[in-house]
Amino acid sequence: MLIQIKTLRDIHENGYILEAHCIACLRFIPVDLEEMIAEGKGDRSFIGKKPKCQECGQEGEWQIRPKGTAIGTG
């Protein structure tokens, strides 16, 4: 089965979670996909965009993994 994940809604509907990873701070911040979808942001794409750390201001990386998996095991 081929799954295409292009939007925040796609991540949520396919049972994945999205976290912003700040490499500089070594932090993983979960993105509340349900809240973003409720706010009308579900069709937004994260592709080609980098999260910005609210602590240090550095660009980070996205991490997508199945719900229920620990960091580094997805």
Side-chain angles (χ1 to χ4, degrees), residues 31 34 38:
V31 175
E34 288 182 4

Side-chain angles (χ1 to χ4, degrees), residues 15-73:
Y16 292 93
I17 59 173
L18 177 67
E19 292 182 326
H21 175 209
C22 178
I23 298 165
C25 293
L26 300 175
R27 297 178 332 129
F28 287 85
I29 308 301
V31 175
D32 189 337
L33 294 172
E34 288 182 4
E35 180 179 324
M36 293 191 79
I37 292 168
E39 292 174 355
K41 300 174 184 175
D43 293 327
R44 288 189 179 176
S45 177
F46 60 95
I47 298 171
K49 300 173 185 169
K50 299 221 179 226
K52 186 174 181 180
C53 182
Q54 294 177 348
E55 292 287 319
C56 72
Q58 296 292 315
E59 280 189 350
E61 299 290 335
W62 295 116
Q63 183 179 68
I64 301 171
R65 57 190 165 86
K67 287 181 183 176
T69 57
I71 294 170
T73 62

